[in-house]
Amino acid sequence: MRSPFQRDRDRVIHSTAFRRLKHKTQVFVAGEGDHFRTRLTHSIEVAQIARTIARALALDEDLTECLALAHDLGHTCFGHAGEEALDAAIAEDGGFDHNAHTLRLLTELECRHVGFDGLNLTWETLEGVVKHNGPVDPRAAPGPIRAFDAAFPLDLDSYASAEAQVAALADDIAYNAHDLDDGLRAGLFAAAELADVPLFGPVFAEIDRRHPGIEPTRRQAQAVREVIGRMVEDVLRETRSRILGARLRDAQSVRALGRPLVAFSDAMRADVEGVRRFLFARMYRHPQVVARTDEAKRIVRELFDRYAADPAALPEEWRARKSGKRAIADYIAGMTDLFAQTEHKRLFKAP
């Protein structure tokens, strides 16, 4: 009934790691507000944008959707803050990388089948998960990726499929638009401060000309939609131009092209970088966000130190693993924000 890529997508959706994304940080810690994005809603939004682009380019929609839904599976509790804390905690054991952890989840840690560990996904899906952001230097790749590649070569130094490239661009489109939307909703900055921000400034000005006096919530939602639309349209124009200029015979010739096939135009890439700079300065480094980030790092580090000093505090199935600090990192990485907070309170409650 299903193609191999449909089966891959369905196995991702039914995985425990996918369900956990509903309580994992995108920017704001899960539970801070009902309407902020989580890793799950972000992944769904990425998949919607990716499917749109894949269909317009006549690519495989199922592979594209699978990669979009799977791209953040390896993120820890508290997002990048949790990742940084775990990376420091196991630095001497190879560190922690969320992309490498995604691969381990898909090939090892998800145990839902009788005959094998992992989800038994296709080569194209595993390749796309590892290389969706571009070729990977085999010498500099995280240990788990190098180890897997040695047994099951993923051609790390080539580009991934066009479908994986679409998933990566859809991620950029989604988080630049939606993180800014969440920042406005949280009151970290005001819409009036976006006048000089690429994409958003011109779009807001155009909406005001077309719909003077529109209420702020509708104005904001309309701006986010139009910004996403402009980025998607730009990707389609640029990619179609690159297709016409390349001699493509098959999927392998996309990998051997030597540059991305799916891309923003130079002008749009500059605009997207401008939005990203604004987000880093005004949102990701906002004192309110930094304070929560520091608190999240403290929680993760204290959990790790407690489990390392007292393995009996770990669940029995995790105590039985022989991978030491890596097993502790795996356990913490699987936690949701809410579970990590609850577990921290349980372990460190006052006597």
Side-chain angles (χ1 to χ4, degrees), residues 29-30 78 299 336-346:
V29 174
F78 310 121
I299 289 173
T336 64
D337 298 358
L338 299 177
F339 183 77
Q341 291 168 328
T342 300
E343 184 72 351
H344 186 270
K345 289 178 181 177
R346 181 182 72 82

Side-chain angles (χ1 to χ4, degrees), residues 11 17 19 27 56 79 111 116 148 151 156-157 162-163 177 199 217 228 236 262 274 276 281 283 296 313 322:
R11 288 182 174 183
R19 290 196 300 277
V27 175
C111 300
F116 50 84
F148 186 83
L156 293 179
D157 54 0
E163 287 82 1
L199 288 173
T217 54
I228 290 174
L236 292 176
V262 182
R276 189 176 288 120
M283 185 171 183
K322 305 299 183 183

Side-chain angles (χ1 to χ4, degrees), residues 32-54:
E32 284 191 53
D34 291 339
H35 297 151
F36 296 131
R37 270 81 180 180
T38 65
R39 286 286 166 187
L40 179 62
T41 57
H42 165 70
S43 297
I44 293 171
E45 289 166 343
V46 172
Q48 180 272 314
I49 294 168
R51 282 198 314 270
T52 297
I53 297 173

Side-chain angles (χ1 to χ4, degrees), residues 47 100 105 115 126 146 163 177 181 193 201-202 215 225 227 242 269 314 322 334 341:
L105 283 166
L126 297 177
R146 290 200 309 273
E163 287 82 1
D181 186 35
E193 299 176 71
E215 62 183 275
R225 281 198 299 276
V227 166
R242 293 187 179 205
R269 188 182 306 110
L314 287 164
K322 305 299 183 183
Q341 291 168 328

Side-chain angles (χ1 to χ4, degrees), residues 70-180:
H71 82 282
D72 269 355
L73 287 181
H75 271 289
T76 71
C77 51
F78 310 121
H80 290 290
E83 179 176 7
E84 291 174 15
L86 283 183
D87 186 46
I90 60 170
E92 295 180 358
D93 296 273
F96 184 93
D97 174 85
H98 75 268
N99 203 40
H101 194 66
T102 296
L103 178 66
R104 293 185 63 239
L105 283 166
L106 297 177
T107 60
E108 178 184 350
L109 297 178
E110 282 283 335
C111 300
R112 304 180 58 81
H113 299 271
V114 174
F116 50 84
D117 290 338
L119 301 182
N120 196 28
L121 305 182
T122 61
W123 184 90
E124 289 82 359
T125 293
L126 297 177
E127 177 223 24
V129 164
V130 171
K131 295 160 45 182
H132 64 279
N133 286 321
V136 177
D137 183 349
R139 297 165 299 179
I145 291 178
R146 290 200 309 273
F148 186 83
D149 182 67
F152 194 73
L154 296 174
D155 300 337
L156 293 179
D157 54 0
S158 72
Y159 281 88
S161 64
E163 287 82 1
Q165 295 178 37
V166 167
L169 265 292
D171 184 28
D172 287 348
I173 292 169
Y175 85 72
N176 277 290
H178 292 146
D179 285 3
L180 194 142

